[in-house]
Amino acid sequence: MKIIEYFTSEKKEHWLDEIKKCDWEAGQYLHQLLSENSLKRMVGETALVPMLVDGDKLIAFCTFAPLDDIQPTDMSPWIGFVYTFPDYRGHRYVGMLLDYAESIATVMNREYIYISTGHTGLYEKYGYEFYKMDKDIEGEKSRIYRKALAVEGPDKDRRYESGAKWKAEIVKAARENVDMTAYCGFSCNHCFLGEWCGGCRSVFSCCSYGTLYDKGKCPNIDCCEKKGLDGCYECEDLKECTKGFYQPDNDGASACKAQAMFIHKYGKEKFFYVHDKLHEVHDFKKTQEILGTDAEEGLKILERYL
């Protein structure tokens, strides 16, 4: 038995068919959301579907996401759609999935992890405590449970070690065959937080800026999708734009815009070439340390490395 993740799995159609065999109404709803590619739009861009499998057999599954059926809320992240197939019940297999989600949440430095349920006496077995009653998106009352993750000790150390390994595996799989040009103009391949993020075009976008926004999608991505653009570098309003990462009070706005302007002028291939050169010559984490606070000057600096 092992845990794999649906969005980064190699056989999504097979696992989708396995989820469809679920005899639970909520499981069928999850199947619908996955089939329509709408789960992330509902519960967040970093949503995962951990699955406990034995060969090609699906034993149990759940979701791990910024949101669940309690919306809007400041509570995050959530475990949802928890299900074990009848033949495998009674072995506490679901505990393996809960630990998987809890471990990744620990790596993400979350203080608590939450579950919305109508059950009593189930999640208490796994260290969850009743927190409060709340209304779900259908207006029905739901029991909110939470588990503390920030308590220092061997359990947190174990979760952190496991979570780091599992998250790295997800990021690696998410990055395969994906364009690493961020919509805003950054290079996701050269981001100092890249080891934790699949990139903003991947199925696991953990962009530290994007996560500041509802369901993890930044205004630059939202705008490009609405306009049908590959990225901000294709927009005629680029130089005057103040949306999202280009907000004047953002200390990386000008450096980001300089890179988008470079892509517009020279293309992605030369953009990545220049980025490699920058990192060979300079020791820096954020491009604004090199490109400064003026987009036009930043563009000229990039052009020196062509």
Side-chain angles (χ1 to χ4, degrees):
M1 293 183 186
K2 64 179 181 178
I3 295 176
I4 63 174
E5 198 285 311
Y6 170 80
F7 287 107
T8 52
S9 67
E10 296 179 351
K11 301 189 298 182
K12 281 194 278 293
E13 288 300 321
H14 169 75
W15 298 118
L16 193 59
D17 289 341
E18 287 290 293
I19 292 173
K20 191 175 182 179
K21 296 176 182 177
C22 168
D23 60 0
W24 181 39
E25 183 179 356
Q28 290 298 314
Y29 182 47
L30 175 61
H31 176 270
Q32 177 186 334
L33 292 173
L34 293 173
S35 299
E36 297 172 349
N37 198 29
S38 57
L39 177 67
K40 289 177 180 286
R41 289 198 297 272
M42 175 172 285
V43 296
E45 292 296 309
T46 56
L48 300 174
V49 183
M51 303 179 295
L52 181 63
V53 304
D54 186 2
D56 284 338
K57 291 287 292 182
L58 180 57
I59 296 171
F61 60 81
C62 70
T63 58
F64 170 68
L67 296 168
D68 192 46
D69 64 348
I70 307 296
Q71 298 187 31
T73 179
D74 293 330
M75 296 179 284
S76 185
W78 294 79
I79 294 172
F81 293 96
V82 182
Y83 181 82
T84 303
F85 283 89
D87 290 347
Y88 299 99
R89 292 172 186 167
H91 301 283
R92 302 188 69 164
Y93 288 142
V94 71
M96 298 170 66
L97 292 176
L98 297 179
D99 183 65
Y100 182 93
E102 293 158 11
S103 296
I104 295 178
T106 299
V107 172
M108 295 168 70
N109 294 318
R110 299 296 187 258
E111 186 175 0
Y112 294 98
I113 191 167
Y114 300 87
I115 294 176
S116 168
T117 182
H119 292 289
T120 57
L122 174 58
Y123 295 108
E124 291 90 336
K125 301 174 185 176
Y126 302 100
Y128 286 79
E129 297 180 344
F130 175 74
Y131 178 47
K132 66 176 182 177
M133 298 293 294
D134 208 336
K135 288 186 177 181
D136 63 20
I137 53 179
E138 300 295 330
E140 300 293 329
K141 288 186 178 180
S142 182
R143 297 175 61 84
I144 308 302
Y145 285 81
R146 71 179 186 181
K147 183 173 183 177
L149 302 177
V151 180
E152 298 295 335
D155 281 346
K156 181 180 179 181
D157 293 342
R158 178 192 58 78
R159 287 196 309 269
Y160 195 91
E161 182 178 354
S162 298
K165 181 189 74 171
W166 288 328
K167 191 172 184 188
E169 290 173 354
I170 292 169
V171 168
K172 182 180 178 180
R175 282 175 167 255
E176 290 185 8
N177 303 315
V178 173
D179 182 358
M180 287 289 109
T181 313
Y183 286 83
C184 63
F186 276 125
S187 166
C188 294
N189 263 348
H190 296 88
C191 177
F192 72 103
L193 295 174
E195 65 179 306
W196 301 112
C197 177
C200 65
R201 297 180 191 271
S202 80
V203 295
F204 191 56
S205 174
C206 300
C207 174
S208 59
Y209 183 75
T211 53
L212 298 175
Y213 291 86
D214 183 43
K215 298 179 182 176
K217 181 177 288 189
C218 81
N220 301 87
I221 296 177
D222 191 50
C223 181
C224 286
E225 289 180 345
K226 288 177 179 177
K227 290 183 176 182
L229 302 177
D230 184 64
C232 298
Y233 37 82
E234 290 187 342
C235 185
E236 60 184 14
D237 300 323
L238 172 61
K239 289 186 178 181
E240 293 75 33
C241 183
T242 57
K243 292 179 182 177
F245 208 90
Y246 300 147
Q247 294 178 63
D249 60 350
N250 186 346
D251 69 348
S254 295
C256 182
K257 187 173 289 188
Q259 292 171 92
M261 290 163 61
F262 183 94
I263 297 170
H264 175 80
K265 193 172 181 180
Y266 298 103
K268 295 179 182 179
E269 185 176 347
K270 289 185 177 179
F271 172 66
F272 288 118
Y273 170 82
V274 165
H275 241 300
D276 286 342
K277 287 295 182 182
L278 278 176
H279 281 76
E280 286 177 12
V281 176
H282 302 281
D283 179 20
F284 66 97
K285 286 187 176 181
K286 298 181 179 181
T287 51
Q288 55 263 43
E289 297 173 27
I290 303 298
L291 302 184
T293 58
D294 181 274
E296 294 289 351
E297 288 301 314
L299 174 60
K300 291 177 182 179
I301 292 172
L302 291 168
E303 290 174 330
R304 295 173 193 165
Y305 293 87
L306 281 171

